[in-house]
């Protein structure tokens, strides 16, 4: 080596640090000929590059073996294209479908997906499933991806309740609750005081599956939890049990606040939000822009069993929903709307939707009816932001009726106001049954998206 | 010269800068200049006087380069004499100027190295890195001055790094090396609307490594080349030099189904690089195929815990880590003086994954 570098002359014992320091301040100042400094530096730099010894590595502990099969090659290729930008709005559906099919993605795609999940919470649950053991291993190495460890993966092992991650334990509890509601509640109750506030707030909603009066004493005790999210979750469940103590307390409050007088209703908000109300899940501080007492009124109505109102006001739900209420009409209606959603009451949802078509209510209706009602709205309205927002609240896949109505609307709008159809076309592309592509020939962009989805779902089968 | 000097300068400068952000390679700058020089020679001379004109041009070039490099030597000595402490402030403008003069002196290879100098300023230890670059530049200028005394292969290396053109025909005229070549890495880099594609190859039986370079204007397709993970039966013609790497495909005979390439051990790399640098001390990019390497957050380790560091600008190699899952893998990487840049990894099914 030295022959090629400098003709083999002895460079003397000048350290590299000394050469650098002389070069920094200037060789002239230290009375060193610059040429000889450069010559020595050349020799040393090549010697350092060539003589660089390996350092000590800190290899991570190996990842656990995978338990799920790899996604088929064509599906993986499509995912790579989607991650590169093609039809990226459909990524969520790809992930949901793959998660449901219990397949995992190729390892090299996991980092890109975990980066996406770091920005977009909505896909995290799916990522927990499709990234498999390798995903969790990577999440343990990169703090930015640690969120993945809170998501359930498939097939929780036996000791998961004692030793598993938060996500695994949640999955385990949900599965047990589905099989044996009492056993799940008892398991939860036994270790309740040792759980973290975060875990407590995600465990309570799991009891919604198979909820009954047997859960009432436990949920009532959870109302004393230190963490507001935990209390709130328990209160939301208790309002679904009309004979729960919370439901009775709320009913007593509601009885004084909303009263009937023939066909006219009257509402009077609470004067204060006392400790008992707060314990029952009423939040004292209103969201920005909302009147404080009206906010309390809305929450009391929202947590009162809907079955209370027809007797109390002497009217069936559809009349109540349409009745005029004077000053506090907005707050009371919002309360009922929230109650219909919390208590999943289709009759009330229907009645309220007729008075005011709020998308959130559609979710409570049976799919066929939801599709019909949305279709009616679409037929009678011009395409605007409100319609797109309403449709945005109707989950995939849209029923035949709604799809037909939307397609008709798109074709009309494309003809008269093409600039207005874009967002609706994109939404339709995501929500239609992909088999509709055969009928969407008039809207090439829509047909292309539907064909893409149709192929995408076929590959994942 | 028949063309306006400004045009030449602009074009040559563009070629000089269109090299890779992570690695420098004076051979690339020479390659960019080759095509340009051929075109100029063809356009500038009449049919009868072409040979004579070329000879005169070549002589002119020799003296221009010699003058340019001796000016470079003086400039470097001045810098070191005065001290480089202010290089972060004044360097980029000075280097720009210097590179322009070197282009005018028809030494595009050296000009390219100068153009890449600002990269060292981002590093914490920039004074040491800059001194190293200055020292190697001077070494090249001195080597060129003494070229007559150098062994022929090293003389070729020096001329290539300075930026003298080597014609395709002369490369193809030399004996080609036939082997089953594994495509172990590919990287496209775009700068100033010119895309440079490097494809790295490793020969199964000869154990030789090669790099095939191609250019295309941005937006236009580059030469199609089989992707990493494939193996081709081909004849490669190497550019001359003391440590030949750059090659042309002289003949392609077909694809071979061969599985992942054989590799060297992490612990063998230092000896291998020492050999390469002994032959060509300016080497700043060399392909490696490692086997049994365990990717770490900042390096590649073997089962004894020896580890080669990664290039700091490469970041944590998450895709590589993901594929490895903490187990030993076969991985191809580009060696650079500041660390490895991963190129390709072979997963547990033997499938190549570009990084």
């Amino acid at each position: 080596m030295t022959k090629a570098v400098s003709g083999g002359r002895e460079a003397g014992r000048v350290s590299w640090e000394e050469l650098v320091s002389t070069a920094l301040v200037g060789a002239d100042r230290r009375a060193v000929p610059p040429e000889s400094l450069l010559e020595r530096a050349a020799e040393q730099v090549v010697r350092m590059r060539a003589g660089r010894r390996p350092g000590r590595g800190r290899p991570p502990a190996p990842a656990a073996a995978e338990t799920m099969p790899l996604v088929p090659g064509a599906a993986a290729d499509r995912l790579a294209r989607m991650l590169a930008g093609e039809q990226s709005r459909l990524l969520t559906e790809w992930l949901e479908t793959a998660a449901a099919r219990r397949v995992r993605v190729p390892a090299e795609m996991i980092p890109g997906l975990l980066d996406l999940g770091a920005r977009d919470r909505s896909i995290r649950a799916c990522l927990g499933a499709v990234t498999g053991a390798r995903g969790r291993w990577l999440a343990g190495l990169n703090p930015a991806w640690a969120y993945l460890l809170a998501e359930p993966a498939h097939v929780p092992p036996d000791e998961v309740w004692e030793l598993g991650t938060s996500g695994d334990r949640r999955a385990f509890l949900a599965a047990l609750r589905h099989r044996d509601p009492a056993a799940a509640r008892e398991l939860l109750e036994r270790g309740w005081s040792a759980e973290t506030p975060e875990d407590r707030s995600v465990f309570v909603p799991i009891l919604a599956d198979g909820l009954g009066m047997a859960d009432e004493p436990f949920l009532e005790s959870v109302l004393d939890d230190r963490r507001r999210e935990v209390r709130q979750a328990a209160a939301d469940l208790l309002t679904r049990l009309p004979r729960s103590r919370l439901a009775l307390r709320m009913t007593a409050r509601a009885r004084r606040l909303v009263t009937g007088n023939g066909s006219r209703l009257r509402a009077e908000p609470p004067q204060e939000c006392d400790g008992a109300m707060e314990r029952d899940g009423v939040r004292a501080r209103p969201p920005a822009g909302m009147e404080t007492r009206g906010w309390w009124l809305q929450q009391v109505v929202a947590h009162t069993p809907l079955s209370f109102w027809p007797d109390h006001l002497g009217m069936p739900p559809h009349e109540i929903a349409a009745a005029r209420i004077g000053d506090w009409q907005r707050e009371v209606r919002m309360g009922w709307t929230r109650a219909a959603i919390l208590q999943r009451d289709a009759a009330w949802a229907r009645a309220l939707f007729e008075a005011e078509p709020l998308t959130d209510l559609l979710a409570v209706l049976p799919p066929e009816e939801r599709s019909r009602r949305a279709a009616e709205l679409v037929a009678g309205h011009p395409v605007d932001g409100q319609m797109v927002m309403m449709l945005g609240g109707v989950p995939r896949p849209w029923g035949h009726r709604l799809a037909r109505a939307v397609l008709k609307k798109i074709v009309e709008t494309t003809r008269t106001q093409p600039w207005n159809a874009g967002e609706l076309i994109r939404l339709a592309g995501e929500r239609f049954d992909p088999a509709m592509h055969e009928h969407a020939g008039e809207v090439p962009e829509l047909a292309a998206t539907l064909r893409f989805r149709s192929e995408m779902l076929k590959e994942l089968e | 010269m028949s063309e306006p000097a400004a045009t030449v300068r602009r074009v040559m400068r563009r070629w000089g800068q269109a090299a890779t952000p992570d690695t420098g390679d004076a051979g690339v700058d020479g390659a960019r200049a080759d095509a340009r020089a051929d075109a100029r020679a063809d356009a500038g001379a009449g049919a009868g006087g072409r040979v004579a004109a070329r000879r005169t041009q070549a002589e002119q070039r020799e003296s221009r380069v010699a003058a340019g490099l001796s000016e470079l030597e003086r400039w470097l000595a001045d810098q070191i004499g005065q001290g480089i402490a202010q290089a972060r402030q004044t360097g980029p403008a000075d280097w720009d100027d210097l590179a322009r003069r070197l282009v005018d002196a028809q030494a595009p290879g050296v000009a390219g190295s100068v153009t890449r100098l600002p990269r060292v300023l981002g590093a914490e230890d920039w004074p040491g890195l800059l001194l190293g670059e200055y020292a190697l530049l001077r070494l090249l200028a001195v080597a060129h001055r003494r070229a007559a005394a150098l062994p022929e292969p090293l003389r070729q290396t020096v001329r290539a790094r300075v930026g003298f053109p080597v014609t395709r025909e002369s490369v193809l005229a030399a004996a080609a090396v036939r082997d089953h070549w594994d495509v172990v890495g590919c990287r496209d880099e775009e700068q100033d609307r010119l895309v440079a594609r490097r494809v790295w190859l490793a020969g199964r039986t000869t154990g030789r490594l090669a790099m095939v370079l191609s250019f295309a204007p941005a937006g236009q397709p580059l030469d199609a080349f089989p992707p990493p993970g494939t193996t081709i039966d081909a004849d490669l013609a190497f550019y001359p030099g003391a440590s030949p790497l750059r090659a042309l495909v002289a003949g392609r005979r077909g694809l071979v189904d061969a599985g992942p390439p054989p590799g060297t051990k992490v612990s063998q790399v230092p000896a291998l690089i020492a050999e390469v640098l002994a032959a060509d001390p300016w080497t700043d990019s060399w392909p490696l195929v490692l086997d049994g390497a365990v990717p770490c957050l900042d390096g590649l380790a073997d089962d004894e815990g020896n580890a080669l560091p990664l290039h700091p600008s490469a970041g944590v190699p998450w895709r590589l880590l993901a594929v490895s899952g903490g187990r030993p893998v076969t991985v191809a990487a580009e060696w650079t003086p500041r660390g490895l840049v991963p190129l390709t990894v072979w997963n547990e099914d033997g499938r190549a994954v570009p990084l």
Side-chain angles (χ1 to χ4, degrees):
Chain A
M1 176 194 80
T2 42
K3 189 165 53 138
V5 174
S6 66
R9 251 172 301 149
E10 185 51 55
R13 291 293 128 209
V14 185
S15 77
W16 175 248
E17 288 70 24
E18 218 176 314
L19 289 177
V20 174
S21 124
T22 307
L24 268 173
V25 301
D28 294 350
R29 200 181 291 185
R30 297 202 179 159
V32 176
E35 292 82 2
S36 88
L37 191 151
L38 281 165
E39 197 163 315
R40 286 174 186 187
E43 199 172 337
Q44 290 227 22
V45 79
V46 178
R47 186 182 290 161
M48 287 190 300
R49 286 179 182 182
R52 193 162 178 176
R53 308 251 53 96
R56 299 305 298 173
R58 294 179 308 280
E66 300 290 353
T67 54
M68 290 184 302
L70 201 58
V71 77
D77 291 346
R78 186 178 298 267
L79 175 63
R81 298 208 309 274
M82 292 168 83
L83 287 172
E86 185 182 345
Q87 295 281 6
S88 56
R89 287 167 60 122
L90 303 178
L91 196 60
T92 306
E93 187 178 12
W94 192 102
L95 292 171
E96 283 172 5
T97 312
R101 301 263 193 280
R102 303 200 162 212
V103 289
R104 68 186 159 87
V105 300
E108 66 269 21
M109 294 188 188
I110 297 174
L113 286 169
L114 293 184
D115 279 344
L116 281 181
R119 296 193 294 273
D120 179 0
R121 284 169 181 279
S122 71
I123 60 169
R124 290 182 179 180
C126 296
L127 292 181
V130 302
T131 60
R134 199 60 58 90
R136 315 179 126 240
W137 179 79
L138 285 166
L141 294 175
N142 187 349
W145 299 335
Y147 66 82
L148 193 75
L149 301 176
E151 298 300 336
H154 285 311
V155 208
D158 290 343
E159 294 185 318
V160 69
W161 185 248
E162 280 72 33
L163 306 171
T165 64
S166 164
D168 287 338
R169 301 180 69 222
R170 202 165 94 209
F172 177 83
L173 185 67
L176 179 62
R177 176 73 180 181
H178 196 70
R179 275 199 317 275
D180 185 348
R185 186 189 61 249
E186 283 156 19
L187 180 69
L188 194 56
E189 249 181 308
R190 260 200 303 281
W192 186 246
S193 56
E195 301 290 358
T196 66
E198 289 73 24
D199 281 349
R200 294 203 302 274
S201 67
V202 295
F203 287 156
V204 170
I206 289 173
L207 299 184
D209 188 7
L211 184 71
M213 273 308 278
D215 300 312
E216 200 268 353
F218 171 63
L219 289 172
E220 174 73 24
S221 74
V222 172
L223 292 175
D224 292 317
D225 200 278
R226 287 187 305 280
R227 178 68 69 108
R228 182 172 53 73
E229 288 84 355
V230 183
R231 298 197 298 272
Q232 192 85 49
D236 285 353
L237 289 183
L238 286 168
T239 64
R240 295 194 205 167
L241 300 170
R243 290 185 294 119
S244 70
R245 280 166 280 175
L246 176 129
L248 296 177
R249 289 192 297 272
M250 281 295 180
T251 305
R253 290 180 189 115
R255 188 188 299 281
R256 291 193 306 273
L257 300 178
V258 184
T259 49
N261 182 9
S263 69
R264 275 193 70 85
L265 304 184
R266 225 182 128 265
E268 177 63 36
Q271 293 298 327
E272 58 168 345
C273 179
D274 58 25
M277 278 167 76
E278 283 203 63
R279 179 174 180 273
D280 285 348
V282 177
R283 296 172 64 176
R285 278 172 57 92
M290 201 159 174
E291 202 278 327
T292 309
R293 291 176 60 214
W295 166 239
W296 297 338
L297 174 64
Q298 177 183 319
Q299 292 178 91
V300 169
V301 173
H303 288 91
T304 300
L306 287 162
S307 54
F308 159 71
W309 298 107
D311 274 356
H312 174 61
L313 299 176
M315 295 184 216
H318 70 270
E319 281 177 32
I320 298 175
R324 299 182 61 89
I325 316 181
D327 283 351
W328 302 97
Q329 174 159 312
R330 211 179 92 80
E331 284 76 7
V332 174
R333 284 229 181 117
M334 281 305 293
W336 281 329
T337 300
R338 179 98 184 97
I341 294 161
L342 271 178
Q343 297 168 37
R344 298 183 192 159
D345 190 315
W348 272 86
R350 197 171 296 130
L352 288 159
F353 190 83
E354 264 161 22
E356 192 184 351
L358 290 172
T359 326
D360 294 353
L361 291 165
L362 284 177
V364 184
L365 297 175
E368 191 45 43
E369 184 181 352
R370 178 165 52 197
S371 171
R372 178 173 57 78
R373 286 186 181 271
E376 284 164 8
L377 268 184
V378 168
H381 277 74
V383 176
D384 58 13
Q386 206 190 343
M387 181 203 275
V388 171
M389 200 150 71
M390 186 277 289
L391 287 171
V394 183
R396 180 185 69 230
W398 286 350
H400 207 64
R401 203 158 177 160
L402 176 56
R404 288 243 172 239
V406 170
L407 185 57
K408 185 156 171 272
K409 195 58 136 193
I410 289 173
V411 172
E412 278 169 25
T413 312
T414 317
R415 215 170 284 142
T416 54
Q417 302 174 291
W419 58 88
N420 239 346
E423 196 49 36
L424 193 56
I425 290 174
R426 281 188 284 278
L427 191 61
E430 290 169 37
R431 305 286 172 91
F432 277 20
D433 178 340
M436 282 283 288
H437 74 80
E438 287 167 21
H439 306 287
E442 279 181 87
V443 191
E445 185 190 341
L446 176 59
T449 305
L450 294 175
R451 245 192 326 270
F452 185 96
R453 280 179 57 213
S454 166
E455 288 159 13
M456 172 177 102
L457 297 176
K458 221 170 281 163
E459 285 162 1
L460 281 165
E461 261 164 27
Chain B
M1 210 181 307
S2 59
E3 290 171 83
T7 311
V8 178
R9 191 182 300 154
R10 186 163 41 78
V11 173
M12 300 293 268
R13 253 169 58 70
R14 195 189 69 190
W15 287 351
Q17 288 171 350
T20 92
D22 278 315
T23 59
D25 189 335
V28 179
D29 302 307
R32 289 164 199 275
D34 285 358
R36 184 69 204 171
D38 289 350
R40 194 174 49 226
D42 289 346
R50 189 173 289 172
V51 176
R54 279 199 179 187
R55 192 178 305 129
T56 324
Q57 273 184 350
E59 283 162 8
Q60 276 177 358
R61 181 170 196 158
E62 292 290 346
S63 60
R64 275 208 194 97
V65 170
L69 291 184
S70 77
E71 194 215 323
L72 172 67
E73 277 192 65
R74 279 195 304 280
W75 186 89
L76 289 166
D78 281 353
Q79 297 298 306
I80 296 301
Q82 292 158 19
I84 59 173
Q86 297 303 312
R88 265 190 159 159
Q89 288 78 44
T90 58
D94 289 351
W95 297 330
D96 228 34
D97 220 38
L98 178 64
R100 208 170 298 139
R101 293 200 300 277
L102 286 163
V103 168
D104 286 345
Q106 292 187 276
V110 189
S113 303
V114 171
T115 315
R116 284 185 289 273
L117 286 175
R119 287 184 203 160
V120 307
L121 296 181
E124 210 174 303
D125 56 340
W126 68 265
L129 294 176
L130 182 58
L131 176 60
E133 294 301 324
Y134 277 179
L136 287 170
L137 275 173
R138 180 177 178 277
L139 185 64
L140 185 60
V142 172
H144 180 260
R145 177 151 51 80
R146 300 179 188 155
L150 298 177
E152 182 57 18
L154 184 57
R155 200 181 73 85
Q156 297 278 15
T157 293
V158 169
R159 287 179 69 80
R161 297 217 174 262
V162 166
F164 282 100
V166 180
T167 63
R168 226 183 132 77
E169 296 71 44
S170 72
V171 174
L172 291 173
V177 180
R178 181 177 177 183
D179 202 342
H180 288 180
W181 297 94
D182 290 304
V183 182
V184 298
C186 176
R187 187 163 62 213
D188 292 349
E189 266 150 11
E190 183 186 331
Q191 206 169 350
D192 292 337
R193 282 171 291 148
L194 194 64
V195 181
R197 167 169 294 174
R198 290 147 187 262
V199 177
W200 287 278
L201 301 149
R204 286 255 165 174
T205 45
T206 59
R208 288 192 67 165
L209 295 158
M211 189 266 289
V212 175
L213 186 63
S214 53
F215 296 101
Q220 288 185 30
L222 280 147
D223 292 352
F225 211 94
T230 45
T231 307
I232 53 173
D233 180 0
D235 304 284
L236 294 193
F238 284 82
Y239 280 71
S243 184
L245 182 68
R246 189 173 167 215
L248 294 172
V249 180
R252 201 184 287 183
R253 297 160 191 264
L255 292 175
V256 184
D257 194 5
T264 45
K265 301 279 162 215
V266 164
S267 57
Q268 294 170 327
V269 169
L272 199 151
I273 291 300
E275 202 178 310
V276 170
L277 287 172
D280 175 357
W282 298 280
T283 304
D284 53 9
S285 165
W286 194 261
L288 297 170
V289 181
L290 301 169
D291 105 48
V294 186
C296 315
L297 293 173
D298 57 356
L300 292 174
D302 64 13
D303 51 4
E304 287 157 20
N306 303 306
L308 301 168
L310 296 178
H311 193 288
S313 75
V316 177
W318 289 116
R319 273 165 66 89
L320 173 58
L321 277 161
V323 170
S324 76
R327 292 190 184 77
V329 285
T330 296
V331 52
E334 180 192 15
W335 173 90
T336 78
R338 297 182 64 194
L340 302 183
V341 181
L343 296 171
T344 305
V345 60
W346 281 262
N347 72 8
E348 68 264 34
D349 303 324
R351 184 171 56 85
V353 176
L355 297 169

